[in-house]
Structures are given as structure tokens and as C-alpha cells.
Amino acid sequence: MKQAMLYDVEDIRIMEVPIPAPGPGEVLVRNKISTTCGTDVKNFKRGYPLLKPPHPYGHEFSGVVAAVGAGVTHVKEGDRVACHNTAPCNHCYYCKHGQPSMCESLTFCRGSYAEYVKVPAPVAAQNMFVIPDALSHKTASLMEPFSCAVYGIENCPISLGDFVVVNGAGPIGLMFARLAVLRGAKVLVTDMVAGRLETAERLGVWKTLNLTGVEDTVDAVRALTDGARGADIVIEATGLIQVWETSVRMARKGGFVLLFGGTRSGSVLHVDATLLHYSQITVKGVFHTTPVHVAAALELLKLGVISAEDFIQHEYPLDDLETAIREHASGAVIKNCIVYN
């Protein structure tokens, strides 16, 4: 079978490797769709501190069960499935304290840019789901990133009518925006790419703001709030440390700031301590997701809360993966997908 390996920064190689056989509890999936992701772009452009190349590449996918290992009963050969890329251990300190996104022994399912994916037993048991025929593989492949937004939005104390700012209209930012709309918020999305902001508008947000050429982004956002007091909730979804810092300054007194976009390693957040203290602003970092939110994300996909049409622009064969990744990195698309026979 063909499988993509990331050999180094900006060095993707499509290799011929044997089709793996599933062991006890494992599931072999014949891939139908793999989607590009901001994390894949970061890995390609600058590497990832927790992964040393060469390594299998990609983590968002949906396909059909090709074979199951001993003991697997919840899926069978021929089932259409959506699969997350991790599973917590459920035994460590953090899992036992209700924080599985902080699990010390996460199991990873890596290598979704491949004709077949062998899903580890903990992932198959906790975060693999049979999907209905009405749900396309394209939309099902969005379950992993969408579950992160579902987890993040649940950490935001959004009340009906709140003014919510989402900084960044990439895939995760747009998912946050859609979920905030559904929670009854007045949502403003900022970005510097017109096409992304047009997608935000289709997803029902109140207003978009193109920050291209805007000298003071904080003033520009606060000016759209009543009395320029700032937003009730600010969600950061760019992964740029300067946007983390401006996001904190966009919140009103007593406001809440969610910092979700992963920054470059070594980034340091500078916050005005006087502002934080006297304005009683809550700043929270949130990472990854949990099995509860993975299941919730799939249910929301079944309900049509978001769909592939708004998020996935172009299809490519596996041999053209680098083109798909570079196009995603350019901002010309929200996401691309790799299509398999």
C-alpha cells in the first residue's frame, strides 16, 4: 500500500509498505478520505517537538473497516467508520481527575495519509464509530477537529446574547464560530483572508472583520461592542502569540478569554497584570479534546451542524499530498482532502 512519511521539514515521501494486519483489539481501516489540518501544516513547515522524523503523517480520516483483530465486536468488516486519532488511558492521575485531555499516556493513531490505517486498540474501543449512510466520509473526517472545538466551546461560559469574538477563521476558528452561533451568541469573526471570512458569514455569524492593514486590532474589535467595553467572550484560534496577547485586551471587564490555538514552541505570553487583576478577566488555555466530546461532535455532524461543503475545498490523490498541504498553508482554502479508491 501507499503511505506518506514526513522525513523532515518540507520533505514528504510517498512510500510502498506492506498492508498491516490488526492485532488483538485493533482495527484495519481502508481509507476513503484524509483531510489536511493546521497541525499537519505546522509539522510540514517547522516540525513538531513531540515527533522526530521520519514518521507516518496525518491524523484526520474516515473509511471502511477492512479487518478486525481478536476481541473486536463493536465494528465489523465493511462498516463505514469515523475515527479519532487519540484515546486516553483512563488510569493516570489526570484521567482519574476528569481531565482526559491531559492524559499522561495518550494512545495516538498516526499515519492517516495512507491507503490503510491500523487503528490501535484503545482508539478503536473508545473513539471509533460506525457512521450512517447519510453521512459522507468527507463530513465524517471532520470529527477529530470538530471535537476539539466542541470541547473548547464547552469551556466557554457563553450566555444567550453574549458578544463573542473568534480570532482566526481557519478550520477550528470557523467551527468555534458556528458553535457559538448555535449557543445564541452575537459572533464576530476576525481574519485577514477574505475567503475565510465569507465562509464565516455562511455559517451564520453576526459580522466579520478583515484585519488586513488594521493598525490597532484591539480598538477595531472593541469599537463594535456597546460603549467600546469589549467582548464578553474572546476565543483565540490562530496559534500566533501576538494574537493571544491582543485577544486578552479585547475582553470586557469580567470577560473570559479562551486561548486554543497552539503556539510555536518557546512562545511567551505577556499580559498586563494590572489589566488582569483590576478588570477580573479570566484567561484559560484549552488543549485537545475528550472522548465525551468526540462522541458529541459526531452527533452534531449527523445533525448537519457543519458539513464538508463549507470546510473542504479541493480533492487530491495521495501522490499530490504536498500540493494539498502547501495550498492549505497558503490560506487559499479552509481544508483539502486526499481521496482514495
Side-chain angles (χ1 to χ4, degrees):
M1 72 170 191
K2 289 183 178 181
Q3 180 181 53
M5 297 286 289
L6 189 62
Y7 262 73
D8 206 339
V9 171
E10 301 201 16
D11 184 3
I12 297 171
R13 303 182 193 179
I14 309 301
M15 317 289 290
E16 281 288 346
V17 300
I19 297 174
E26 297 177 338
V27 176
L28 182 68
V29 175
R30 180 168 57 84
N31 224 340
K32 300 298 287 185
I33 295 288
S34 305
T35 44
T36 62
C37 164
T39 300
D40 296 339
V41 170
K42 291 176 188 176
N43 288 352
F44 176 71
K45 300 290 271 186
R46 66 182 191 230
Y48 185 59
L50 300 181
L51 286 175
K52 294 190 180 300
H55 58 76
Y57 191 36
H59 62 280
E60 298 179 10
F61 70 104
S62 175
V64 176
V65 174
V68 299
V72 175
T73 59
H74 70 294
V75 297
K76 64 183 185 304
E77 186 176 340
D79 281 345
R80 303 172 70 250
V81 293
C83 187
H84 199 265
N85 72 315
T86 68
C89 71
N90 298 315
H91 301 296
C92 71
Y93 175 90
Y94 296 101
C95 286
K96 289 181 177 180
H97 282 76
Q99 296 175 308
S101 67
M102 298 287 100
C103 176
E104 294 178 308
S105 302
L106 275 175
T107 297
F108 288 87
C109 179
R110 296 192 174 100
S112 68
Y113 294 126
E115 292 179 313
Y116 289 84
V117 180
K118 186 173 73 169
V119 181
V123 178
Q126 296 183 63
N127 281 333
M128 172 180 281
F129 304 92
V130 176
I131 59 174
D133 291 340
L135 189 68
S136 71
H137 283 292
K138 271 191 181 181
T139 296
S141 70
L142 298 175
M143 182 182 73
E144 188 277 333
F146 195 37
S147 72
C148 295
V150 170
Y151 179 48
I153 207 77
E154 284 231 316
N155 278 271
C156 296
I158 298 174
S159 297
L160 294 171
D162 273 354
F163 194 110
V164 174
V165 175
V166 178
N167 287 320
I172 294 292
L174 291 169
M175 291 171 180
F176 268 117
R178 178 62 177 154
L179 290 169
V181 167
L182 292 177
R183 294 187 72 172
K186 182 179 184 179
V187 182
L188 170 70
V189 176
T190 75
D191 203 279
M192 299 177 73
V193 180
R196 291 181 169 190
L197 294 174
E198 290 169 5
T199 300
E201 291 168 359
R202 290 198 301 271
L203 294 174
V205 304
W206 167 69
K207 191 182 286 292
T208 61
L209 179 61
N210 193 322
L211 296 178
T212 303
V214 175
E215 187 172 336
D216 192 324
T217 60
V218 175
D219 280 353
V221 167
R222 294 179 75 96
L224 295 172
T225 66
D226 291 343
R229 66 171 172 250
D232 300 295
I233 310 286
V234 182
I235 299 170
E236 195 291 327
T238 70
L240 301 172
I241 192 63
Q242 61 267 34
V243 182
W244 277 42
E245 294 178 349
T246 55
S247 292
V248 174
R249 293 164 49 211
M250 291 175 182
R252 65 164 172 82
K253 292 180 180 180
F256 179 93
V257 182
L258 182 79
L259 301 175
F260 196 88
T263 59
R264 184 185 292 269
S265 180
S267 299
V268 177
L269 176 65
H270 297 279
V271 179
D272 184 337
T274 300
L275 171 68
L276 200 65
H277 177 71
Y278 287 101
S279 292
Q280 294 185 188
I281 295 171
T282 298
V283 179
K284 185 170 186 177
V286 170
F287 165 72
H288 201 45
T289 190
T290 78
V292 169
H293 297 93
V294 174
L298 181 59
E299 292 306 311
L300 292 172
L301 291 175
K302 291 177 186 177
L303 290 171
V305 165
I306 63 169
S307 67
E309 286 68 31
D310 285 319
F311 283 84
I312 301 173
Q313 276 69 58
H314 297 146
E315 298 181 357
Y316 291 93
L318 183 58
D319 287 336
D320 292 338
L321 173 59
E322 183 171 332
T323 300
I325 293 291
R326 288 189 181 278
E327 187 177 40
H328 184 137
S330 75
V333 297
I334 307 301
K335 295 173 86 71
N336 285 323
C337 71
I338 303 303
V339 178
Y340 306 84
N341 294 328

